[in-house]
Amino acid sequence: AMELVTTLSDLYPNSARVLTMRTELTERRSRELDRLIEAYNALLADLQVSTDNDWESAGEVLREILLLDPQNPALKDHRLADAFVDQIRQAIDAGDLMRAKLIVELAGEFIPNDPVIVQLREQLAARLEHQRQDNLAIELRARLEQERDALRSLVDFRRMQGDLMMQIGRAHV
């Protein structure tokens, strides 16, 4: 909207209507930013003290702030990185790796180069890979237990070996 008003201002530099539109739009943007900053501060306070939080709402507020004012100081607020780090660590420690992954992804949107978050992202990726391998081992063990009575010879094992290798291959995709 501001781009359109700027274009109109270039076309009609002495227009009172265009000046009024610019003033109204600037005031509306300012009010909306004030509302968003207030919501951001409330959400940030909640995120810092609660483990049961609403990162989705925080992300929406931050996206709106980013859209209206990409240079807004709230986007560089150290409390934001601290809250992300605390929540990521809590989720990892609780074993809730999917929640930790969602928070890491959201943090990457707003503070992608924070060294602690980058380190936690790598740590989380290693934990997720370890979990994936554990799940695969459990599946393979269950399959071997299921087929144990059918394994009477090397031929039976070779038949099953191909099936197991296909299952392992699918897990790597």
Side-chain angles (χ1 to χ4, degrees), residues 30-44:
S30 179
R31 283 191 307 273
E32 181 64 10
L33 268 172
D34 289 345
R35 184 191 68 78
L36 289 168
I37 296 301
E38 187 176 313
Y40 162 79
N41 285 324
L43 284 166
L44 189 60

Side-chain angles (χ1 to χ4, degrees), residues 72-136:
N72 193 288
L75 299 170
K76 296 172 181 72
D77 187 344
H78 71 87
R79 297 175 304 159
L80 179 62
D82 293 345
F84 275 126
V85 167
D86 290 345
Q87 293 296 315
I88 293 166
R89 284 185 175 144
Q90 287 176 14
I92 289 173
D93 292 346
D96 192 348
L97 302 183
M98 296 318 295
R99 184 171 134 244
K101 183 178 179 189
L102 292 173
I103 298 169
V104 163
E105 289 171 358
L106 186 61
E109 266 186 71
F110 302 106
I111 42 178
N113 300 322
D114 183 89
V116 178
I117 292 176
V118 169
Q119 179 186 15
L120 286 170
R121 181 182 301 122
E122 292 168 359
Q123 187 180 49
L124 177 62
R127 295 274 302 264
L128 286 167
E129 176 59 20
H130 188 266
Q131 184 180 49
R132 188 193 66 76
Q133 290 177 359
D134 286 350
N135 289 341
L136 178 60

Side-chain angles (χ1 to χ4, degrees), residues 147 149-162:
E147 299 287 335
D149 293 335
L151 297 175
R152 300 193 194 295
S153 68
L154 189 54
V155 172
D156 294 336
F157 177 75
R158 293 260 188 240
R159 176 187 47 79
M160 188 175 157
Q161 182 182 20

Side-chain angles (χ1 to χ4, degrees), residues 48-80:
Q48 289 176 325
V49 298
S50 172
T51 57
D52 183 30
N53 52 53
D54 190 1
W55 278 104
E56 218 171 276
S57 293
E60 290 171 16
V61 168
L62 289 167
R63 284 184 198 95
E64 288 183 42
I65 292 171
L66 183 63
L67 182 66
L68 288 174
D69 184 6
Q71 301 305 314
N72 193 288
L75 299 170
K76 296 172 181 72
D77 187 344
H78 71 87
R79 297 175 304 159
L80 179 62

